[in-house]
Amino acid sequence: MPQAPAAPLAAVHAADADDRTRDRVRNAVLEHGPISAAELGDLLGFTPAAVRRHLDRLSRDGVIEVKRVARAGARAGRPARRYVLSSQGQSFLGNDYLDIATVALQRLGEMAGPEAVRQFAVERFADMERRYAPEIEQAGADIPARARVLSELLSRDGFVASAASIEAKAPLPAALSSVQLCQGHCPIQQLAAQFPVFCEAETEVFSRLVGVDVRRLSTLARGGHVCTTHIPTGRPAATRLSSPGSSPAGPDEVSNHLQERP
């Protein structure tokens, strides 16, 4: 019986290898974006030509997109090309039952009003708060430490989070130092785009968990390449603003955390 030619089989293996490599590139862009092609090559150990080949394919497929970022310290010249995951790329990571959830929430709002939708969002994040609070409390009153623990817990739940300390430089007072908490993935991104109350409820939970008033600077749901939360670190953590699952604090207690910037 004649054997099947080896060439087609080799081509299949090569295609599988390319798919796996592109998955690595996509995941690296998700975790580290905005990131340049050169940085990706160093991170993954690929040649510049190999990185660009996979980036071009991911761009054509709509999985990633280019962001122009001003070069640090540069007065002029072209902004640097940096790659981030696109909205379509985010959706590939899992938005199961989005249509069903959207219709259900629309009907809930029609039948019981916007407050019912808000209560649903609050209850969804109450479980996160209950699970995270014991581990964050172990970090004590140090805000950066609490933010780092929050970042680790979010990453454990698939949010691809990071926490970067931003130290205020003279003549600015040290009290203006902060932590930038970033989330590279949101499993309900498209749902939150239609129902911003989910972002609001999550931000309220972050504020209670770290113990200070926080501010949302950007969200994936509103077109940002990451969700970014500004956490001031100039003072120790306050007593928990409220218990998990309870009503959010009043306006005098939480004043800024919903002031999202586009």
Side-chain angles (χ1 to χ4, degrees), residues 234-258:
R235 59 183 185 275
T239 305
R240 289 180 59 82
L241 298 179
S242 60
S243 59
S246 66
S247 299
D252 293 336
E253 294 176 281
V254 182
S255 58
N256 292 327
H257 68 241
L258 301 183

Side-chain angles (χ1 to χ4, degrees), residues 118-228:
R118 173 178 173 77
Q119 187 58 37
F120 179 87
V122 168
E123 291 174 1
R124 181 187 187 277
F125 287 102
D127 176 67
M128 170 192 283
E129 189 170 359
R130 280 190 293 267
R131 289 187 295 108
Y132 288 9
E135 295 187 53
I136 291 176
E137 289 300 323
Q138 291 178 13
D142 184 67
I143 298 296
R146 295 172 76 92
R148 285 193 296 271
V149 175
L150 175 57
S151 170
E152 293 166 1
L153 294 170
L154 287 167
S155 290
R156 191 172 70 191
D157 279 352
F159 289 89
V160 194
S162 62
S165 293
I166 311 295
E167 301 298 330
K169 300 185 183 301
L172 296 175
L176 294 181
S177 296
S178 65
V179 168
Q180 298 288 320
L181 175 69
C182 295
Q183 298 156 258
H185 175 55
C186 174
I188 60 168
Q189 176 184 342
Q190 294 182 45
L191 193 66
Q194 298 184 62
F195 299 95
V197 68
F198 282 90
C199 296
E200 296 169 9
E202 182 185 59
T203 308
E204 290 166 359
V205 165
F206 289 174
S207 184
R208 291 194 292 270
L209 286 171
V210 297
V212 293
D213 187 16
V214 307
R215 176 179 296 181
R216 217 56 181 280
L217 303 183
S218 67
T219 62
L220 288 159
R222 291 196 175 184
H225 65 267
V226 293
C227 296
T228 304

